[in-house]
């Protein structure tokens, strides 16, 4: 194998692909990038058992071939010489990287040992077509609510349902739930999949601003291509939690508040409870205000935020981070919080655009009663 390539282009590709290298692999080949030189370009591929990222770059191919190198090391090294033209050639021990008047050597493994993964082919797969902007927004609104522990693996992903010209996304971690929707441009059929949160995050990172793209999927895998980058991922199997079984039908208390003021107040209150075992804040919702308090060994915060109340007054305790994450993900000047009792789930949403909504479980305290 031997090729010559622009350093900046190669560095960008290596950095992108290395995100799919396994962090703590049992087999060293799983932390590698496979480099394949053929025809008029070089294909870089990484796969960690769940997600693969493949990117093709233009290069002058002097000799075709393929091999594997440690992904993080290769990406870091090429990043240091990205302003130069790079020549890479293989020998019996590894690869020789030449740049300017210098050269370096890096160990390599045989490409024959690189794991085979699910096909990135779109043959036989259903798809939906969506604006990159719409998809990026939807992912940002739900992915932070995915679970991170292994107790219920399916909750480490987000439910995506494409139906009737809409894409609906849902995610939950057992303490909070996010739901958002957006329009889709088209598709071959209705689709219902559970995609790993990590895959959605990597897809979001490579999205642009104005184009549309197609998301292909079958019961086992998902594939999406953006320009010369292809992400292919396993999908989670199993039945996802139905939001219809969780969301309250009606509410007895609704309070409207300025988003910016609520964010500022919760952030200040959260300073004193940072690192505390009981890191929660209290809302005392009254006719024209919310009194927000937080107590810890460090001190106490008590702030008043103006609000408009519809229904009953209420006192409730909650995880400040969960509420803050949700309010920051909303985007209107006024947000609405809806409650029933001090121990039942409550929701947060924009005052006008209801496509995005969050459900949060309150914190039970000894002084609260249903």
């Amino acid at each position: 194998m031997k090729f010559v390539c622009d350093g900046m282009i190669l560095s960008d590709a290596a950095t992108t692909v290395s995100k799919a290298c396994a962090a703590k692999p049992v087999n060293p080949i799983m932390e590698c990038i496979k480099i394949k030189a053929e025809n008029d370009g070089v294909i870089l591929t990484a796969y960690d058992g769940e997600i693969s990222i493949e990117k093709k770059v233009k290069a002058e191919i002097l000799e075709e071939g393929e091999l594997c190198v440690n992904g993080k090391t290769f990406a870091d090294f090429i990043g240091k010489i990205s302003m130069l033209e790079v020549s890479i050639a293989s020998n019996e021990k590894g690869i020789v990287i030449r740049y300017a008047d210098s050269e370096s050597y890096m160990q390599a493994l045989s490409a024959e040992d690189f794991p085979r993964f699910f096909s990135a082919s779109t043959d036989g797969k259903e798809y939906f077509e969506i604006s990159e902007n719409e998809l990026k927004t939807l992912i940002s609104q739900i992915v932070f609510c995915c679970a991170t522990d292994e107790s219920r693996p399916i909750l480490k992903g987000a439910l995506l349902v494409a139906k009737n010209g809409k894409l609906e996304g849902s995610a939950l971690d057992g303490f909070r739930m996010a739901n958002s929707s957006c329009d889709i441009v088209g598709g071959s059929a209705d689709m219902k999949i559970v995609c790993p949160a990590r895959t959605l995050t990597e897809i979001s990172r490579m999205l642009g601003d104005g184009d549309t793209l197609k998301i292909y999927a079958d019961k086992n895998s998902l594939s999406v291509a953006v320009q010369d980058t292809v992400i292919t991922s396993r999908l989670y199997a199993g039945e996802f939690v139905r939001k219809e079984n969780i969301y309250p039908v009606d509410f007895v208390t609704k309070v409207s508040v300025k988003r910016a003021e609520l964010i500022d107040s919760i952030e200040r209150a959260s300073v004193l409870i940072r690192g505390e075992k009981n890191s929660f804040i209290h809302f005392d919702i009254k006719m024209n205000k919310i009194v927000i308090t937080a107590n810890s060994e460090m001190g106490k915060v008590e702030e008043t935020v103006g609000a408009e109340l519809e229904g009953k007054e209420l006192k409730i305790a909650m995880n400040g981070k969960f509420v803050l994450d949700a309010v920051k993900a909303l985007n209107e000047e006024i947000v609405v919080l809806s409650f029933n009792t001090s121990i039942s789930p409550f929701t947060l949403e924009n005052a006008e655009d209801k496509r995005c909504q969050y459900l949060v479980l309150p914190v039970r305290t000894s002084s609260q009663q249903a």
Side-chain angles (χ1 to χ4, degrees), residues 209-255:
D209 294 323
D211 294 334
T212 61
L213 72 158
K214 292 181 179 180
I215 307 287
Y216 290 88
D218 55 26
K219 65 178 182 179
N220 297 316
S221 64
L222 169 148
S223 182
V224 56
V226 178
Q227 297 180 355
D228 294 322
T229 304
V230 179
I231 289 183
T232 307
S233 172
R234 294 189 184 278
L235 298 175
Y236 292 140
E239 190 65 28
F240 202 80
V241 177
R242 294 175 60 88
K243 67 179 181 180
E244 295 83 1
N245 299 335
I246 299 177
Y247 270 76
V249 178
D250 297 305
F251 297 95
V252 299
T253 299
K254 290 188 176 183
V255 59

Side-chain angles (χ1 to χ4, degrees), residues 261-324:
E261 293 183 5
L262 186 60
I263 289 174
D264 289 344
S265 184
I266 294 175
E267 286 183 335
R268 287 190 290 267
S270 298
V271 170
L272 288 188
I273 57 175
R274 189 181 299 150
E276 291 286 318
K277 182 178 180 180
N278 297 320
S279 57
F280 51 83
I281 60 176
H282 294 264
F283 278 15
D284 186 358
I285 303 170
K286 299 180 180 297
M287 186 54 62
N288 59 357
K289 62 183 178 181
I290 302 175
V291 180
I292 301 174
T293 58
N295 293 278
S296 72
E297 294 181 354
M298 296 293 295
K300 177 180 180 180
V301 173
E302 181 174 316
E303 296 203 2
T304 299
V305 176
E308 293 184 7
L309 174 65
E310 178 185 336
K312 298 181 179 179
E313 295 185 347
L314 178 73
K315 292 183 179 180
I316 188 169
M318 64 196 69
N319 183 303
K321 182 183 183 305
F322 292 168
V323 177
L324 191 60

Side-chain angles (χ1 to χ4, degrees), residues 76-206:
D76 288 348
F77 187 85
I78 297 299
K80 303 299 183 184
I81 55 174
S82 61
M83 300 306 293
L84 305 171
E85 185 176 74
V86 177
S87 171
I88 294 181
S90 62
N91 58 30
E92 64 279 2
K93 295 182 179 180
I95 60 173
V96 177
I97 305 172
R98 294 185 173 90
Y99 45 97
D101 296 324
S102 304
E103 70 175 38
S104 298
Y105 163 79
M106 191 176 297
Q107 290 184 337
L109 300 175
S110 171
E112 294 181 358
D113 299 326
F114 194 76
R116 296 186 179 186
F117 53 92
F118 35 79
S119 173
S121 170
T122 59
D123 294 342
K125 292 183 179 180
E126 304 292 350
Y127 75 91
F128 62 87
E129 191 171 358
I130 187 170
S131 158
E132 291 186 15
N133 277 335
E134 293 275 17
L135 181 59
K136 186 180 258 187
T137 297
L138 183 140
I139 291 173
S140 69
Q141 290 173 333
I142 66 172
V143 73
F144 63 87
C145 286
C146 292
T148 56
D149 62 77
E150 300 288 345
S151 59
R152 297 182 66 183
I154 196 169
L155 297 187
K156 293 179 66 179
L159 175 68
L160 299 178
V161 179
K163 187 176 182 180
N164 299 327
K166 295 282 187 182
L167 176 64
E168 297 183 356
S170 300
L172 73 156
D173 61 7
F175 301 97
R176 54 181 172 171
M177 184 176 194
N179 290 282
S180 185
S181 66
C182 63
D183 295 328
I184 56 178
V185 178
S188 57
D190 295 342
M191 188 185 299
K192 184 178 181 181
I193 59 176
V194 181
C195 184
R198 177 163 164 252
T199 300
L200 292 175
T201 298
E202 293 304 331
I203 290 174
S204 180
R205 284 174 177 166
M206 71 178 191

Side-chain angles (χ1 to χ4, degrees), residues 321-367:
K321 182 183 183 305
F322 292 168
V323 177
L324 191 60
D325 286 345
V327 177
K328 283 186 174 181
L330 298 172
N331 56 14
E332 291 185 358
E333 181 182 359
I334 303 297
V335 295
V336 178
L337 289 74
S338 303
F339 306 86
N340 279 314
T341 71
S342 61
I343 59 172
S344 59
F346 61 93
T347 65
L348 305 94
E349 60 188 354
N350 289 317
E352 300 295 333
D353 185 354
K354 304 296 185 181
R355 291 182 298 175
C356 182
Q357 188 179 60
Y358 297 92
L359 183 80
V360 178
L361 294 179
V363 176
R364 289 174 179 261
T365 64
S366 58
S367 61

Side-chain angles (χ1 to χ4, degrees), residues 5-16 44 55 57-58 75 77-86:
C5 184
D6 179 273
M8 186 66 73
I9 294 175
L10 186 61
S11 175
D12 175 70
T15 300
T16 298
L44 305 182
K55 190 173 180 67
V57 297
K58 289 185 177 181
F77 187 85
I78 297 299
K80 303 299 183 184
I81 55 174
S82 61
M83 300 306 293
L84 305 171
E85 185 176 74
V86 177

